[in-house]
Amino acid sequence: MNRLIIIGASGHGKVVADIAKLSGYTDIAFLDDAPGLKVVSGYPVLGAVSTFSAFSQDDFFVAIGNSDIRRRIQDEISSSGARLVTLIHPSAVVAQDVVIGEGTAVMAGAVINPSVRIGRGCIVNTSSSVDHDCVVGDYVHVSVGTRLAGSVCIGSGSWIGIGAVVSNNLSVCPNTMIGAGAVVVRNIELPGTYIGIPAEQIQVAS
Ligand code: UDP
């Protein structure tokens, strides 16, 4: 198996490294711009993110929670021709026909039901569920414990907060943040931040 280079050696990076190990990677290292980082979770930090092209024979995964940064770095690595992988925790339940884009992580205990499509660079976080026929765009974060009911559409770059619920057949437009524990019961067509039960907009995205 190739070495895996994980970009980002903080909390999200550690979780990703754990999934990588459980997926069979025996040689794992980080790149991170924070000065002075040498070892994280027992894995070496080999240098700054900008040095990634020195590792072109290795597999890559971008494990930075911020979706704009994740997108920028993943696009850069992808354009260089390097290999980006998809990581799925062995305890996740993923139906056979689900399509998952490169650079997406599916964490422990997540359930993804049939006919779902998940884009590139997404995070399907711990114990979340994505039900049948959902379409999740690129660089979406489905946070810990979130519930997406059947046939929900989440636009790219959106962040569905911890424990939020999106009712069936609804769409959330791109670049939208749904707050922790919010319940979405109607389509969200204007980018922004929505909180509460039912979820209401609190601020328009700039
Ligand atoms: N980071 C980096 N280069 C960047 C942006 C972020 O190396 O351009 C690193 C940063 O130093 C930190 C990690 O990515 O170690 C982001 O960690 P943070 O705790 O902010 O959030 P997480 O990604 O774990 O959710």
Side-chain angles (χ1 to χ4, degrees), residues 165 176-188 190-204:
V165 170
T176 289
M177 180 169 285
I178 305 296
V183 177
V184 176
V185 293
R186 61 179 174 81
N187 288 330
I188 290 186
L190 208 57
T193 300
Y194 294 75
I195 62 166
I197 303 173
E200 299 290 353
Q201 189 172 24
I202 55 166
Q203 111 198 4
V204 176

Side-chain angles (χ1 to χ4, degrees), residues 7-13 31-34 37 49 63-66 69 72-73:
I7 311 284
S10 190
H12 184 45
L31 296 180
D32 196 290
D33 293 326
L37 272 187
V49 175
I64 293 179
N66 179 294
I69 300 173
R72 175 176 55 76
I73 295 176

Side-chain angles (χ1 to χ4, degrees), residues 25-133:
Y25 281 100
T26 51
D27 195 357
I28 296 170
F30 289 107
L31 296 180
D32 196 290
D33 293 326
L37 272 187
K38 293 287 175 234
V39 178
V40 170
S41 281
Y43 303 113
V45 182
L46 300 178
V49 175
S50 57
T51 64
F52 78 84
S53 51
F55 306 96
S56 56
Q57 299 311 306
D58 299 333
D59 292 349
F60 282 91
F61 192 92
V62 184
I64 293 179
N66 179 294
S67 55
D68 290 336
I69 300 173
R70 193 165 70 254
R71 181 194 293 264
R72 175 176 55 76
I73 295 176
Q74 182 166 328
D75 283 353
E76 202 180 332
I77 290 174
S78 183
S79 323
S80 78
R83 260 185 322 274
L84 282 156
V85 298
T86 299
L87 291 171
I88 300 175
H89 194 284
S91 75
V93 176
V94 179
Q96 212 171 4
D97 66 346
V98 169
V99 177
I100 302 181
E102 64 184 11
T104 287
V106 179
M107 307 310 202
V111 177
I112 306 179
N113 269 340
S115 307
V116 166
R117 281 184 288 137
I118 304 216
R120 296 159 50 80
C122 292
I123 304 169
V124 180
N125 222 325
T126 314
S127 297
S128 60
S129 63
V130 180
D131 226 288
H132 65 87
D133 299 295

